[in-house]
Amino acid sequence: MFKHKANRHLPLVTLLVIIVSALTVGPVLMLVVGSFSEGIGTIGQFTTAKYISAYGDPTLPKTLLNTVIFTLGTACFSTILGAGLAYLSVRTNIPFKGLFKVLPIIPMMIPHVLFASAWIALLNPTNGMLNVFLRSVFGFSRGPFNIYSLGGMIFLEGMLDLPVTYLVMSPAMYSFDTRLEEASRVSGASNARTLRKVTLPVLKPALLATFTLAIIRCLAAFAVPSMVGMPGRIHVLTTHIYRIISVGWSPDYGKAAAVGLIVLGASIVLVYLYRYLIRESSQFVTVTGKGYRPTVIELGRAKFPLFALCLLFFCFLVIIPLATLVYMSFLPYSMVPGAKAFSLMSLRNWNSVLGSSIILRALKNSAFLAVIGATVSIVLSLFIAYVVVKVKSKGSAFIESLSFLSFSFPGMIIGVGFMWFLVKTPLYATIWGLLVAYIGTYLPYGVRPLRSAFVQIDAELEESARVFGASFLKAMKDIVVPLLAPGVISAWILTACMFIRELSVSVVLSRPGTEVLTVEIMKLANDGLWGQVSALGLIMIALSTILVLVANLLKAPLSQD
């Protein structure tokens, strides 16, 4: 039966193999070709000069060292935060546990470029509002905080990666076998000793997987390294590549490709290590019935202090950055709150932003990419997920591997790959080229949730429609898609939000006429126009929120059906 089904879907599988290969393998191959080419317009003229130039650069060793410190430091910080919050919310009796299911995910709504902007306004060593306030109170001659440092970069990126590490660790905390913990307590061990000697060793594969995932994200990070690291003259590989393609009159995309292959190769290896570790962690999962609940640890007198500490942390993560953006959007320049600051408040920044033709075009382009791009991406993801789950063949397995491969693509590097991939096509330097690059880079964000949704759909429903003469597309439209509608909308929301906040691919491919909001925010930040950065950032957050609310309004009746 499986063979018959695979043959029946052979044209669809073949088409998807071609499309997914073009979106994932194509840019990688062109990245390799580009690294051996003399220039962006001379593809095919073989040379090794780019590798000699790239790896002979005297600044590269320092850049590599910064990258190692940044990635390992951030991965440790975000993994400890994510695991700690997951443990408190799942395994303990901390108050308002339901709140912990929402709060760690909220930062995903705040683009990294805005989060960095808010903290720069607070912790800039010269005129950061918090630093100015502390100097006035305690008489410090400088600082005392300097966001333009490796420590500042690790602090910001670690908090931004918290939602991912929390979401990975929470299921592991909930589902692992607790009998070993119970045996430890029966033997007289305290909660702290049980945590150290039993819980953490049992969770080791999940912790390593989370740590590996955090490293992958840090290798791809660009917003924080560009806005915080570059002013502090602390370069990592992504900003090193950005300098190669943005400084000077003639960007060297061949040299950028040669350096980018280091990051891409490391990311691919780490992604497959992550998949292996996830499989390893499954040995500690307990398969239980609906009545299963993990053992709840009594925190005793530490319950409310820990809850207060968590709330304080979420203030740092969400409330303080958002409040700073709102406050700064009405001021001509950065200043500590006070009578003078409030007297200078106006709508000048908002008028400047909304009166700029370039920014209005960027707003239009970002909305187009979010709505149309996410829709195209989800339609493609729907067919990919269907083939992966319902069609058992070598072709479907190949498609699954390709779709997961793009999860390892750092945006900056794959942006250079798409530059080489599109340069000889009509899509080059157009909004459609950006759309193609977005879809190829963020394909797993649509495929993964839809794959999980398809597993829940019984194949007999589709087969019944086919027996009564419905075509494949009609059965998908009338039977499968309505059943998947809540999952489809959730995947669309996630993809649209990713497209709105995308920076690293855009900064490589965006050209006059194809501006997007994140790139314009970065340009304003580089010019020190923090008031306009804040105003435009709030508009960007409002756009994301509107898309989410509208999609959820459409999703609600479908979920009830």
Side-chain angles (χ1 to χ4, degrees):
M1 184 177 73
F2 287 135
K3 186 175 180 180
H4 171 70
K5 196 169 186 177
N7 290 336
R8 187 176 70 193
H9 291 100
L10 184 60
L12 175 63
V13 172
T14 303
L15 178 62
L16 289 176
V17 166
I18 294 170
I19 294 173
V20 177
S21 296
L23 290 172
T24 56
V25 179
V28 174
L29 290 177
M30 290 307 299
L31 190 71
V32 176
V33 170
S35 69
F36 288 103
S37 300
E38 292 183 0
I40 197 75
T42 58
I43 296 174
Q45 297 183 21
F46 182 84
T47 179
T48 58
K50 302 303 179 184
Y51 282 90
I52 295 172
S53 175
Y55 297 116
D57 190 330
T59 65
L60 186 60
K62 179 65 173 177
T63 299
L64 289 172
L65 178 61
N66 289 338
T67 304
V68 170
I69 296 172
F70 173 63
T71 53
L72 294 181
T74 302
C76 287
F77 183 44
S78 62
T79 300
I80 291 170
L81 286 178
L85 285 172
Y87 181 79
L88 288 174
S89 64
V90 175
R91 302 301 314 283
T92 73
N93 65 332
I94 196 166
F96 303 102
K97 293 181 70 169
L99 203 59
F100 284 89
K101 296 179 181 179
V102 179
L103 287 176
I105 304 171
I106 292 176
M108 296 181 75
M109 297 295 298
I110 305 175
H112 292 195
V113 65
L114 296 180
F115 188 83
S117 298
W119 280 102
I120 288 170
L122 289 168
L123 299 180
N124 184 310
T126 55
N127 61 353
M129 288 184 286
L130 183 57
N131 278 326
V132 171
F133 172 74
L134 291 175
R135 286 200 296 267
S136 67
V137 173
F138 297 104
F140 296 125
S141 59
R142 60 180 181 176
F145 298 109
N146 180 12
I147 196 66
Y148 297 129
S149 62
L150 265 173
M153 292 167 62
I154 290 170
F155 167 72
L156 293 182
E157 191 65 36
M159 289 200 294
L160 286 169
D161 288 343
L162 168 67
V164 174
T165 56
Y166 173 84
L167 288 173
V168 173
M169 284 304 304
S170 291
M173 290 287 183
Y174 187 88
S175 61
F176 82 90
D177 194 335
T178 58
R179 287 174 295 181
L180 294 173
E181 285 184 324
E182 293 165 2
S184 174
R185 292 191 190 91
V186 168
S187 300
S190 65
N191 287 335
R193 182 173 175 80
T194 300
L195 174 65
R196 189 175 70 255
K197 294 294 187 179
V198 178
T199 307
L200 291 179
V202 167
L203 289 171
K204 183 178 178 181
L207 287 167
L208 288 174
T210 305
F211 181 74
T212 303
L213 182 60
I215 291 177
I216 294 168
R217 289 179 62 84
C218 294
L219 278 175
F222 176 70
V224 169
S226 65
M227 298 190 68
V228 176
M230 289 178 72
R233 298 183 180 180
I234 301 169
H235 294 284
V236 295
L237 281 170
T238 49
T239 53
H240 180 71
I241 292 169
Y242 178 68
R243 285 196 302 168
I244 292 172
I245 62 176
S246 64
V247 177
W249 295 103
S250 179
D252 195 338
Y253 290 102
K255 183 178 177 181
V259 176
L261 286 173
I262 301 176
V263 188
L264 185 62
S267 296
I268 292 173
V269 171
L270 287 168
V271 162
Y272 283 96
L273 174 62
Y274 168 73
R275 294 187 73 178
Y276 169 77
L277 291 170
I278 286 292
R279 287 197 298 270
E280 284 289 301
S281 64
S282 65
Q283 65 180 298
F284 299 109
V285 172
T286 306
V287 180
T288 62
K290 292 182 179 179
Y292 172 75
R293 292 290 184 273
T295 304
V296 174
I297 309 299
E298 295 291 334
L299 292 174
R301 288 179 297 178
K303 179 167 63 175
F304 289 103
L306 282 173
F307 178 70
L309 185 64
C310 290
L311 284 186
L312 178 64
F313 175 73
F314 286 120
C315 286
F316 277 82
L317 199 59
V318 178
I319 296 173
I320 291 175
L322 284 179
T324 302
L325 290 174
V326 173
Y327 173 73
M328 287 293 299
S329 70
F330 296 105
L331 289 176
Y333 52 87
S334 177
M335 64 180 75
V336 176
K340 181 182 179 181
F342 290 115
S343 69
L344 291 175
M345 283 187 168
S346 70
L347 295 174
R348 186 178 305 166
N349 294 318
W350 292 87
N351 292 333
S352 297
V353 165
L354 294 174
S356 168
S357 59
I358 294 176
I359 289 176
L360 289 177
R361 185 164 61 234
L363 179 61
K364 176 184 173 184
N365 289 338
S366 290
F368 171 83
L369 289 166
V371 176
I372 304 302
T375 302
V376 173
S377 180
I378 292 304
V379 170
L380 176 61
S381 299
L382 191 68
F383 286 107
I384 292 172
Y386 173 85
V387 166
V388 168
V389 175
K390 302 298 183 183
V391 181
K392 306 297 182 181
S393 68
K394 292 182 179 179
S396 62
F398 182 63
I399 291 171
E400 182 180 23
S401 297
L402 287 181
S403 64
F404 193 85
L405 178 65
S406 60
F407 183 74
S408 64
F409 292 166
M412 171 67 64
I413 285 81
I414 208 62
V416 175
F418 271 107
M419 174 72 73
W420 287 96
F421 186 63
L422 299 173
V423 68
K424 296 294 186 179
T425 73
L427 299 176
Y428 180 72
T430 68
I431 194 69
W432 300 103
L434 271 176
L435 186 145
V436 169
Y438 278 22
I439 292 172
T441 305
Y442 293 98
L443 194 59
Y445 292 89
V447 174
R448 288 290 158 179
L450 289 177
R451 184 186 186 281
S452 300
F454 262 114
V455 172
Q456 309 299 321
I457 303 295
D458 196 324
E460 291 181 359
L461 295 171
E462 181 195 355
E463 292 298 331
S464 297
R466 300 296 295 272
V467 167
F468 284 98
S471 66
F472 166 70
L473 291 178
K474 185 170 179 59
M476 285 283 287
K477 180 175 71 70
D478 294 342
I479 304 295
V480 178
V481 172
L483 292 172
L484 289 174
V488 169
I489 293 175
S490 296
W492 187 92
I493 291 171
L494 176 61
T495 305
C497 289
M498 297 300 293
F499 282 14
I500 286 178
R501 60 190 283 182
E502 210 296 314
L503 172 65
S504 50
V505 172
S506 306
V507 82
V508 178
L509 296 177
S510 181
R511 294 290 182 272
T514 64
E515 298 91 347
V516 293
L517 286 175
T518 48
V519 175
E520 293 309 306
I521 288 173
M522 196 176 94
K523 289 178 180 177
L524 291 173
N526 290 338
D527 292 336
L529 301 173
W530 298 110
Q532 293 185 34
V533 166
S534 301
L536 185 55
L538 291 170
I539 293 171
M540 185 177 174
I541 292 173
L543 177 60
S544 298
T545 304
I546 289 169
L547 286 173
V548 171
L549 291 176
V550 170
N552 276 318
L553 286 174
L554 294 173
K555 179 183 176 181
L558 294 170
S559 298
Q560 293 172 2
D561 293 343

